[in-house]
């Protein structure tokens, strides 16, 4: 147990700050062991706040060196340091200047929150509550101030000194030191503060905004990495142009800097004018990065850039509003991604991610609304629900309003709230006012947790040509929410004739039939939609483009097959195929028929996908892949990880054998790779070819030789890795040779080495648990590096269902051991690792008991961080 049970923060407890901060002047004397931070705050009592409340400044892991009020030193009787770390000053004048001097130890900061060092350089991470680890401050997003930052450091050690805004001054100081001063003209909350200092190199470019502002762009990396920044820079310029074109939003400073760091708790951070990025989302060369890595870079660069308006210029009033910036910005980065390549494939990839991470969360002990009601540790709420489901909510608004009205809503939002810290209500009201639609009911999407389940039934009257579609919605109870209300669900749909052609649709009461996709809005628990002019019953195609984050069930296999072949909407075609394969696997699991031949319908569908693959290889690769083991698990009441794995392998092997010739032919046809390009067609061809390889490898010995040959000849990481994944699943000498060769070649490249760890951690071989324990003790494993921890421990526990759930409980024990070892160093990463153990209710009784026991062991650990305490205790509740 923690020393004292952490206090819960509740959304309804929000009070405006008692004091506002107009300006902040910071001066850092950087030193790894003892950095001195001087802060000068101009304070003013908030007319909207409590007129008598004292000034409360948050603080954590700080040494207070001095305090001055309006130029005079403050005696110890004028302030109090509370047990929670905060500094409380009563009896302040309504307007005053407070100077605070603190000391911190960046090198000892293993939490990677606040100011820390990585590879000898200094970096900050302040969201959500890291600024209080730098200096005493009202560390809450509704306190927005203008910052001036002076950084002083040893010139040899830190030739580069960066902070937010524009650089206004720089110069030499005695003793080999130098300084730089940065001024950020835009008011911002403390979580957007950033400082970077070290021996870094810049890759430079420039961008001219639509209104003619010249922006100097720079990506700061370690020496040697400067050849790996092209794609990141390209992505940045594309993002800047896209936001102007699609949302009319321009960049607002003369500089935009990105700094890359190897030790980072998440993907990247949108600090004003100085984004800090995990190297994983910056560095790429064809030899070191896969197509998926390239995609990730484009997505994250865009995401952080788009935050400049949705998050920075308009920010959150409090952390319960997190989805205000995150959901909206994910939606924006998804739209950007769709415009940069195949919109259909992008939607498939995004929905797959939502279903893989958010649907299970919504169905487990950590389910929470997109706008949560309470938390112990806000850093636990950077979740798929807040991000991905939040994005789906924005997408529903977009689809209900259409692009033009949605844009008017966004213009209203930004125009009305620029430089403000606002709430989700403010956002929805602006979209409603600007877009012209009543969204009162729609707010329920933010407050109600759980994924709605949709079922349908149909009746047809040949005499009148009337066809009635009945839609029903139901949401299961979630922790703390027993009763659920119906939600407004936009359902993009169309009707197909029995011959597969798209039919025009006319609802009862409409005068004219409409061609193509239309929108139905389901608002009740059950609702009828009556269509006219239908002499024969049509086949409905529902949730085109996945127009709402719901589960649609109960569609017959026959109809799924029909939709997979005939629908005009590529998302529905893909989705119906996936549902069809899932239904098959579930039947096989239920019947324990582990040696059946693959279903003829599936064989035919796969054959025709291969036949037509050249037209759209990217789509074909998506559609040829069977649903993941965890996706199948998510459809089962009680998960049987071994049966799922066995059945899926069986099906893949069967398909590989039945279609061996076609897989082979497709594989050969795509063998000439030519110069590496990253457009969707080229990467789609690689994906398709590697899908074929995986099927062939399961089908027989020849596949192993093929994989070995591909691994040896590969000139890009996508092909090398795909072959290595295939080999790593086997017990062959080829496997050991390839893994050894890969390690020998790439041991100096930490991002590639991460892949080496992940591949072994995700291998389905029965001995993987032991392998993972051994790798944990490997000299290249480093518990302090979040990427490495994710690559080994995260990949194993969240990405290797069958081995993590080993019936012995060894996988659970390994995960709990890691969490316990990591928690004192980095609570954020430790608490994030825990999630798979929380799903114990979905496993059989024996596994469930083992998982619970590990959670209890974690919870019994002395001095547990509040992050891990919150996760483990909620998971057991
Ligand atoms: N806003 C950051 C995430 C901060 C996480 C703090 N635990 C990155 C992003 O979503 O853009
Ligand atoms: Zn974000």
């Amino acid at each position: 147990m923690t020393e004292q049970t952490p206090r819960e923060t509740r959304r309804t407890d929000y009070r405006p700050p008692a004091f506002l901060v107009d300006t902040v002047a910071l001066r850092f004397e950087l030193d790894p062991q003892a950095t001195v931070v001087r802060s000068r705050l101009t304070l003013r009592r908030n007319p909207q706040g409590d007129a008598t409340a004292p000034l409360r400044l948050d603080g954590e892991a700080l040494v207070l060196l001095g305090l001055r009020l309006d130029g005079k030193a403050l005696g110890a009787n004028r302030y109090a340091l509370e047990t929670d770390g905060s500094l409380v000053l009563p009896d302040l004048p309504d307007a005053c200047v407070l100077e605070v001097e603190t000391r911190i130890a960046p090198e000892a900061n293993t939490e990677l929150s606040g100011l820390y060092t990585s590879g000898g350089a200094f970096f900050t991470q302040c969201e959500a509550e890291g600024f209080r680890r730098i200096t005493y401050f009202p560390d809450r997003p509704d306190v927005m101030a203008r910052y001036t930052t002076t950084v002083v450091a040893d010139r040899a050690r830190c030739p580069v000194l960066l902070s937010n805004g524009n650089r206004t001054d720089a110069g030499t100081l005695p003793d080999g030191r130098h300084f730089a001063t940065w001024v950020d003209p835009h008011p911002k909350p403390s979580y957007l503060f950033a400082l970077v200092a070290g021996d870094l190199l810049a890759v430079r470019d420039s961008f001219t905004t639509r209104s003619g502002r010249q922006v100097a762009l720079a990506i700061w990396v370690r020496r040697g990495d400067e050849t790996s920044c092209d794609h990141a820079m390209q992505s940045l310029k594309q993002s800047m142009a896209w936001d102007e074109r699609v949302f009319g939003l321009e960049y607002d400073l003369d500089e935009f800097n990105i700094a890359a760091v190897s030790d980072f708790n998440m993907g990247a951070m949108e600090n004003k004018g100085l984004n800090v990025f995990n190297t994983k989302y910056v560095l790429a060369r064809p030899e070191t990065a896969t197509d998926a890595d390239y995609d990730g870079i484009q997505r994250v660069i865009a995401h952080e850039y788009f935050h400049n308006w949705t998050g920075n210029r308009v920010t959150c009033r409090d952390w319960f509003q997190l989805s205000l910036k995150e959901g909206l910005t994910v939606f924006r980065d998804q739209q950007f991604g769709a415009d940069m390549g195949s919109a259909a494939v992008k939607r498939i990839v995004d929905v797959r991610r939502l279903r893989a991470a958010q649907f299970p969360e919504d169905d487990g002990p950590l389910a929470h609304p997109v706008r949560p009601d309470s938390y112990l540790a806000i850093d636990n709420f950077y979740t798929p629900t807040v991000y991905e489901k939040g994005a789906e909510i924005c997408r529903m608004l977009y689809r209900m309003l259409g692009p033009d009205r949605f844009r008017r809503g966004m213009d209203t939002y930004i125009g009305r709230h620029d430089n403000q810290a606002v709430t989700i209500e403010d956002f929805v009201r602006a979209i409603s006012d600007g877009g012209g639609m009543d969204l009162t009911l729609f707010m329920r999407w933010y407050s109600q947790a759980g994924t709605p389940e949709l079922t349908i039934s149909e009746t047809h009257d040949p005499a009148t040509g009337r066809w009635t579609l009945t839609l029903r919605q139901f949401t299961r109870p979630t922790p703390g929410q027993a009763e659920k209300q119906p939600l407004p669900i936009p359902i993009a749909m169309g009707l197909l004739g029995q011959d597969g052609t798209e039919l025009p649709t006319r609802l009862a009461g409409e005068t004219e039939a409409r061609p193509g996709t239309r929108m139905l809005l389901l608002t009740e628990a059950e609702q009828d939609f009556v269509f006219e002019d239908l002499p024969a019953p049509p086949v409905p195609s529902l949730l085109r483009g996945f127009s709402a984050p719901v589960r649609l069930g109960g569609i017959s296999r026959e109809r799924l097959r029909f939709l997979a072949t005939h629908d005009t909407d590529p998302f529905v075609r893909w989705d119906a195929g996936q549902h069809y394969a899932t239904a098959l696997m579930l039947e096989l699991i239920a019947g324990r028929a582990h040696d059946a031949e693959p279903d003829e319908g599936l064989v035919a569908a796969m054959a025709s996908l291969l036949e037509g693959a050249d037209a759209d290889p990217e789509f074909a690769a998506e559609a040829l892949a069977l649903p993941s083991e965890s996706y199948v698990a998510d459809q089962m009441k009680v998960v049987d990880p071994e049966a799922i794995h066995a059945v899926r392998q069986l099906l893949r092997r069967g398909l590989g054998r039945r279609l061996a010739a076609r897989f082979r032919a497709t594989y050969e046809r795509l063998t000439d790779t030519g110069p590496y390009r990253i457009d969707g067609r080229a990467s789609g061809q690689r994906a398709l070819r590697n899908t074929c390889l995986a099927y062939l490898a399961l089908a027989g010995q020849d596949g192993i030789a093929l994989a070995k040959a591909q691994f040896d000849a590969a000139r890009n990481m996508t092909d090398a890795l795909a072959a290595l994944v295939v080999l790593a699943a086997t017990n062959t000498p080829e496997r050991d040779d390839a893994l050894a060769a890969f390690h020998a070649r790439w041991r100096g490249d930490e991002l590639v080495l991460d892949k080496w760890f992940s591949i072994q951690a995700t291998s389905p071989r029965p001995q993987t648990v032991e392998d993972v324990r051994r790798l944990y003790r490997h000299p290249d494993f480093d518990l302090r590096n979040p990427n490495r921890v994710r690559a080994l421990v995260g990949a194993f526990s969240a990405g290797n269902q069958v081995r993590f759930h080993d019936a012995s409980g060894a996988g659970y024990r390994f995960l709990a051991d890691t969490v316990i070892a990591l928690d004192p160093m980095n609570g954020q990463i430790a608490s994030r690792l825990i999630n798979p153990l929380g799903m114990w209710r979905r496993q059989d009784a024996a596994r469930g008991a083992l998982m619970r026991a590990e959670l209890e062991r974690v919870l019994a650990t002395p001095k547990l961080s509040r992050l891990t305490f919150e996760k483990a205790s909620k998971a057991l509740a």
Side-chain angles (χ1 to χ4, degrees):
M1 282 290 291
T2 43
E3 288 166 289
Q4 56 198 100
T5 305
R7 204 172 52 86
E8 194 177 59
T9 305
R10 283 193 307 258
R11 185 165 61 83
T12 48
D13 286 348
Y14 174 81
R15 298 290 174 276
F19 282 84
L20 301 175
V21 183
D22 289 322
T23 64
V24 183
L26 294 167
R27 184 182 169 90
F28 288 82
E29 309 257 354
L30 290 179
D31 179 281
Q33 279 100 40
T35 289
V36 174
V37 184
R38 287 199 197 95
S39 141
R40 186 176 186 277
L41 312 177
T42 52
L43 295 160
R44 175 164 58 88
R45 199 169 264 288
N46 182 6
Q48 263 87 54
D50 179 339
T52 57
L55 172 68
R56 176 172 287 275
L57 303 177
D58 302 293
E60 188 181 303
L62 300 173
V63 178
L64 179 62
L65 299 179
L67 267 180
R68 296 171 80 82
L69 181 67
D70 292 326
K72 291 195 202 68
L74 270 187
N77 60 334
R78 294 289 307 279
Y79 63 89
L81 276 172
E82 315 243 303
T83 47
D84 68 356
S86 55
L87 176 64
V88 179
L89 298 107
D91 312 323
L92 289 189
D94 284 351
C96 56
V97 174
L98 185 73
E99 290 164 274
V100 188
E101 192 173 324
T102 47
R103 193 178 65 222
I104 48 180
E107 210 168 65
N109 181 353
T110 56
E111 298 282 347
L112 313 184
S113 162
L115 178 68
Y116 64 95
T117 59
S118 168
F122 293 85
F123 296 89
T124 55
Q125 171 54 37
C126 292
E127 188 177 0
E129 298 180 334
F131 194 69
R132 64 187 61 185
R133 294 165 59 82
I134 294 174
T135 182
Y136 288 101
F137 196 80
D139 193 12
R140 42 187 289 169
D142 57 352
V143 174
M144 298 173 82
R146 290 195 172 76
Y147 284 65
T148 300
T149 306
T150 297
V151 188
V152 179
D154 183 72
R155 189 193 282 276
R157 182 189 165 117
C158 294
V160 174
L161 306 173
L162 307 171
S163 190
N164 313 91
N166 301 312
R167 200 178 77 159
T168 56
D169 196 8
T172 307
L173 296 170
D175 309 323
R177 294 177 312 151
H178 70 147
F179 78 95
T181 298
W182 293 78
V183 176
D184 182 356
H186 302 286
K188 65 166 176 286
S190 51
Y191 82 85
L192 291 173
F193 171 79
L195 177 159
V196 171
D199 188 7
L200 302 173
L201 287 184
V203 173
R204 294 184 188 278
D205 208 323
S206 68
F207 182 86
T208 308
T209 67
R210 202 161 59 166
S211 65
R213 183 196 285 267
Q214 293 280 337
V215 185
L217 310 176
I219 300 180
W220 299 88
V221 292
R222 279 169 312 209
R223 211 164 291 277
D225 286 340
E226 65 276 15
T227 51
S228 303
C229 299
D230 291 357
H231 182 63
M233 186 62 89
Q234 188 64 24
S235 302
L236 174 59
K237 290 192 288 182
Q238 285 170 333
S239 306
M240 295 177 88
W242 186 88
D243 217 11
E244 292 186 351
R245 184 159 50 78
V246 177
F247 283 100
L249 297 171
E250 281 186 38
Y251 189 61
D252 56 0
L253 289 165
D254 305 326
E255 297 195 27
F256 188 76
N257 289 299
I258 290 177
V261 56
S262 307
D263 299 284
F264 204 62
N265 281 347
M266 61 270 169
M269 178 64 212
E270 70 265 23
N271 316 299
K272 185 77 187 187
L274 175 53
N275 287 187
V276 176
F277 267 65
N278 190 322
T279 45
K280 180 175 164 60
Y281 292 108
V282 175
L283 305 179
R285 286 182 289 132
E287 310 86 80
T288 59
T290 61
D291 293 336
D293 295 328
Y294 274 84
D295 270 353
I297 290 169
Q298 189 186 53
R299 174 171 61 80
V300 179
I301 293 263
H303 180 94
E304 307 311 331
Y305 176 73
F306 296 155
H307 267 315
N308 191 54
W309 282 95
T310 50
N312 300 4
R313 287 287 288 254
V314 182
T315 197
C316 301
R317 187 193 73 173
D318 56 73
W319 290 120
F320 292 103
Q321 320 298 326
L322 183 58
S323 195
L324 174 80
K325 74 178 178 80
E326 294 305 347
L328 179 56
T329 305
V330 170
F331 170 66
R332 276 153 50 69
D333 82 52
Q334 290 180 349
Q335 294 294 88
F336 166 76
D339 283 354
M340 294 297 116
S342 155
V345 171
K346 174 67 177 154
R347 189 64 186 135
I348 289 168
V349 169
D350 290 337
V351 172
R352 201 191 300 110
R353 178 201 296 266
L354 178 82
R355 285 175 173 163
Q358 200 277 325
F359 278 23
E361 178 170 81
D362 234 355
D363 208 20
L366 300 169
H368 54 275
V370 170
R371 180 162 68 181
D373 293 317
S374 71
Y375 59 74
L376 295 183
I378 183 56
D379 285 317
N380 279 335
F381 285 83
Y382 287 74
T383 59
T385 297
V386 167
Y387 275 65
E388 265 77 32
K389 188 173 178 181
E392 292 300 319
I393 294 181
C394 295
R395 179 179 299 277
M396 287 190 282
L397 291 171
Y398 174 80
R399 291 209 65 174
M400 290 191 307
L401 289 165
D404 295 339
R405 287 163 69 197
F406 184 79
R407 169 67 196 270
R408 284 203 286 279
M410 281 296 292
D411 289 350
T412 304
Y413 173 60
I414 303 273
R416 207 181 261 179
H417 297 297
D418 190 14
N419 287 318
Q420 292 179 11
V422 301
T423 62
I424 282 172
E425 274 90 358
D426 293 323
F427 170 70
V428 175
R429 197 175 305 122
I431 298 291
S432 162
D433 292 351
M437 183 180 278
D438 181 5
L439 296 171
T440 318
L441 213 55
F442 193 81
M443 277 303 293
R444 283 185 191 166
W445 275 104
Y446 287 101
S447 56
Q448 185 164 294
T451 306
E453 293 168 32
L454 231 60
T455 49
I456 65 168
S457 55
E458 299 144 52
T459 53
H460 183 245
D461 180 355
T464 57
R466 279 214 170 124
W467 178 79
T468 305
L469 174 66
T470 306
L471 293 169
R472 285 179 214 87
Q473 59 167 308
F474 167 73
T475 306
R476 286 169 206 282
T478 54
Q481 282 187 345
E483 299 291 322
K484 300 288 182 181
Q485 295 171 303
L487 297 172
I489 301 177
I491 296 166
M493 58 89 65
L495 298 178
L496 302 181
Q498 303 292 344
D499 60 352
T501 53
E502 178 100 19
L503 303 173
T505 52
R506 184 166 77 85
L507 279 171
E510 290 176 348
T511 47
E512 263 174 63
R514 300 191 205 171
T517 300
R518 67 182 299 151
M519 199 65 93
L520 304 179
L521 188 63
L522 172 65
T523 54
E524 311 292 326
E526 175 174 332
Q527 212 169 323
D528 285 346
F529 295 89
V530 181
F531 291 83
E532 309 274 7
D533 316 328
L534 293 162
V539 177
S541 155
L542 301 173
L543 282 179
R544 285 183 167 174
F546 203 60
S547 58
V550 300
R551 295 176 191 260
L552 171 62
I555 313 283
S556 72
R557 265 172 57 181
E558 200 182 327
R559 183 174 277 182
L560 289 172
R561 229 169 83 185
F562 181 85
L563 289 169
T565 326
H566 296 295
D567 199 34
T568 50
D569 183 75
F571 175 82
V572 170
R573 276 205 309 279
W574 170 81
D575 198 35
Q578 296 286 301
H579 272 105
Y580 182 80
T582 307
L584 263 179
M585 286 192 263
L586 291 173
E587 264 174 38
L588 286 170
I589 291 164
R592 291 268 180 268
H594 290 193
D595 53 5
E597 273 296 299
D599 167 87
E600 287 309 319
L602 192 63
V603 173
M606 296 279 184
S608 91
L609 276 167
L610 281 166
E611 205 107 291
D614 281 346
D616 189 349
E618 217 182 349
F619 179 84
E622 292 296 341
L624 283 165
L626 292 183
S628 70
E629 290 178 25
S630 43
Y631 181 74
V632 179
D634 190 44
Q635 318 305 313
M636 294 176 76
K637 235 196 179 101
V638 177
V639 178
D640 185 341
E642 274 152 18
I644 295 173
H645 179 68
V647 160
R648 189 168 180 277
Q649 290 294 93
L650 177 88
L651 209 52
R652 291 174 73 209
R653 188 172 303 120
L655 287 166
R657 289 204 180 120
R658 283 289 302 275
L659 298 168
R662 285 173 206 255
F663 280 124
R664 188 69 192 232
T666 307
Y667 182 85
E668 306 280 333
R669 199 167 60 245
L670 296 170
T671 294
D672 176 31
T673 46
Y676 186 81
R677 286 176 307 135
I678 49 151
D679 57 85
R681 186 159 181 90
S683 62
Q685 286 173 339
R686 284 188 286 273
L688 178 59
R689 180 163 177 265
N690 288 322
T691 303
C692 295
L693 175 69
Y695 276 109
L696 288 167
L698 278 169
Q701 272 309 310
D702 192 27
I704 306 295
L706 221 53
K708 171 83 171 100
Q710 174 168 325
F711 178 78
D712 290 340
R715 278 173 297 156
N716 64 71
M717 184 52 77
T718 304
D719 289 339
L721 210 66
L724 192 55
V725 167
V726 164
L727 295 174
T730 66
N731 290 310
T732 57
E734 286 88 341
R735 166 190 205 270
D736 300 340
D737 293 350
L739 281 169
F742 193 84
H743 183 265
R745 171 154 183 212
W746 295 113
R747 59 180 317 167
D749 186 317
E750 47 195 32
L751 292 174
V752 184
L753 207 51
D754 286 339
K755 301 180 193 304
W756 181 80
F757 278 96
S758 289
I759 282 186
Q760 296 176 78
T762 50
S763 166
R765 301 192 323 157
Q767 61 270 54
T768 293
V769 194
E770 289 111 71
D771 287 348
V772 167
R773 279 226 182 251
R774 195 173 36 74
L775 288 166
Y776 185 90
R777 294 188 302 269
H778 192 281
D780 291 326
F781 183 73
D782 181 1
L783 197 55
R784 283 165 314 182
N785 178 255
N787 283 358
R788 195 54 50 85
V789 172
R790 283 185 281 255
L792 180 65
V793 189
F796 170 68
S797 55
N800 193 348
Q801 176 169 269
V802 65
R803 293 310 154 211
F804 173 64
H805 290 289
D806 189 279
S808 68
Y812 309 146
R813 203 153 49 242
F814 169 70
L815 181 59
D817 286 346
T818 308
V819 168
I820 290 167
L822 183 55
D823 189 63
M825 281 183 239
N826 189 331
Q828 284 193 40
I829 301 297
S831 82
R832 232 173 291 162
L833 282 179
I834 244 178
N835 290 8
L837 283 174
M839 300 305 282
W840 58 270
R841 272 195 188 81
R842 302 290 300 275
Q843 298 295 327
D844 61 35
R847 285 188 173 88
L850 291 166
M851 294 167 85
R852 279 186 66 103
E854 294 305 331
L855 283 168
E856 274 154 12
R857 189 159 67 89
V858 169
L859 210 51
T861 308
K863 296 198 174 162
L864 207 58
S865 71
R866 69 161 61 202
L867 288 141
T868 302
F869 172 80
E870 176 170 38
K871 283 280 193 72
S873 55
K874 286 186 176 169
L876 280 166

